Amino acid sequence: MSKVKIGGISFVPEMWNEKKNLDRLIKHYREAVAGGAQIVASCEGSLDGYPTKELPQRRLQQGLPAKTVKSAAYKKRFAAFKKQQLALADRIKEHCIPALIEETKSLGVYFFLNTRDRRRGESVYKTTFVINPKGKVIGKYDKIHAAFETGNTCGKTYSVFETDYGNIGVLICADRNYPETCRILNVSGAGLQIINSYGFWGEGKNDVMLKQRARENGSFIVFIHPKETVFFS
């Protein structure tokens, strides 16, 4: 990686309110660039507000209790959530993504934006869009370890993106829990790893884990959460 200034956008987005979140995101985006940032990254769910937390969380190993999944009340609740999530993802795709592409083109930096992305019918992914200084989406990364998030589709492939400053890999929240994920990005040539997150944070488990991930791979890590942005090396 060549020398570069990186900015993280940390704020708590409001669930289901993409318009308000967009306004706040652009405000902080401009502030980061005014401060000299050449690469800017958002926290996880920066436009959607992470609405998955409204539903019971599946456990990867066990799943929700069968009686919960089969109950008429849960099925009704899930159907309503899915309909609302699809509408939210459509609004984000139609209005917010184009606005942020134009903003990025105007600011002339790289932007790593995390939000929901609807594709292939009713599939909704937790996706980080990588937008270059010309306002072109040069790639996307879909959260792989998302099976515990009810209603979301899991990604399949880890990605490293080529920028003017070097190769950058992306992980999203729970992806960082597994040593192999950071290692895959490292051996794929990433000199910097950006982690868009919404889950646990702060001193203790998170900081200890990410310090270890950076140390064992000899790479830089930027962790962007609604409550903090932290750099590890």
Side-chain angles (χ1 to χ4, degrees), residues 6-224:
I6 303 170
I9 300 177
S10 294
F11 72 98
V12 180
E14 186 175 312
M15 284 197 300
W16 307 112
N17 195 340
E18 77 287 350
K19 291 183 180 179
K20 182 177 180 180
N21 295 334
L22 176 63
D23 289 341
R24 294 181 68 190
L25 185 60
I26 288 176
K27 175 178 178 291
H28 295 312
Y29 190 8
R30 291 172 178 172
E31 290 172 348
V33 176
Q38 298 158 297
I39 296 173
V40 180
S42 78
C43 62
E44 183 182 14
S46 59
L47 291 171
D48 53 75
Y50 206 91
T52 308
K53 61 188 177 184
E54 286 194 345
L55 287 174
Q57 301 290 290
R58 289 197 301 249
R59 288 297 173 188
L60 206 57
Q61 298 88 348
Q62 300 173 341
L64 287 172
K67 63 180 181 180
T68 300
V69 175
K70 293 179 180 179
S71 70
Y74 179 80
K75 289 180 179 179
K76 183 177 180 180
R77 183 181 176 188
F78 179 76
F81 171 86
K82 189 71 175 179
K83 182 178 180 180
Q84 191 175 6
Q85 176 175 250
L86 290 171
L88 173 65
D90 285 342
R91 294 195 303 272
I92 288 172
K93 178 169 285 189
E94 182 178 357
H95 302 293
C96 300
I97 300 301
L100 287 166
I101 286 174
E102 287 303 311
E103 188 69 28
T104 300
K105 185 177 180 180
S106 173
L107 294 173
V109 300
Y110 285 92
F111 192 31
F112 289 72
L113 165 70
N114 184 272
T115 190
R116 290 172 191 263
D117 188 28
R118 180 179 180 177
R119 281 175 262 154
R120 295 186 286 275
E122 295 189 354
S123 295
V124 177
Y125 295 81
K126 299 291 283 297
T127 299
T128 294
F129 292 75
V130 183
I131 309 172
N132 74 8
K134 295 182 179 180
K136 180 181 179 181
V137 178
I138 60 173
K140 299 178 182 181
Y141 169 70
D142 302 321
K143 185 175 183 178
I144 291 177
H145 297 92
F148 63 94
E149 296 179 347
T150 310
N152 292 333
T153 303
C154 297
K156 296 181 179 180
T157 306
Y158 295 99
S159 301
V160 174
F161 304 95
E162 185 177 341
T163 75
D164 294 334
Y165 306 104
N167 294 332
I168 300 176
V170 178
L171 298 174
I172 301 172
C173 202
D175 291 331
R176 74 191 189 283
N177 293 344
Y178 307 93
E180 295 82 2
T181 58
C182 288
R183 187 61 179 163
I184 288 170
L185 296 182
N186 181 268
V187 299
S188 298
L192 168 68
Q193 300 183 22
I194 288 176
I195 302 177
N196 315 95
S197 189
Y198 197 101
F200 63 89
W201 61 284
E203 296 181 3
K205 180 181 177 181
N206 187 66
D207 281 9
V208 170
M209 179 174 64
L210 290 181
K211 286 177 182 178
Q212 183 62 32
R213 296 284 181 270
R215 187 179 301 114
E216 64 197 10
N217 289 293
S219 63
F220 297 99
I221 293 176
V222 185
F223 175 77
I224 310 96

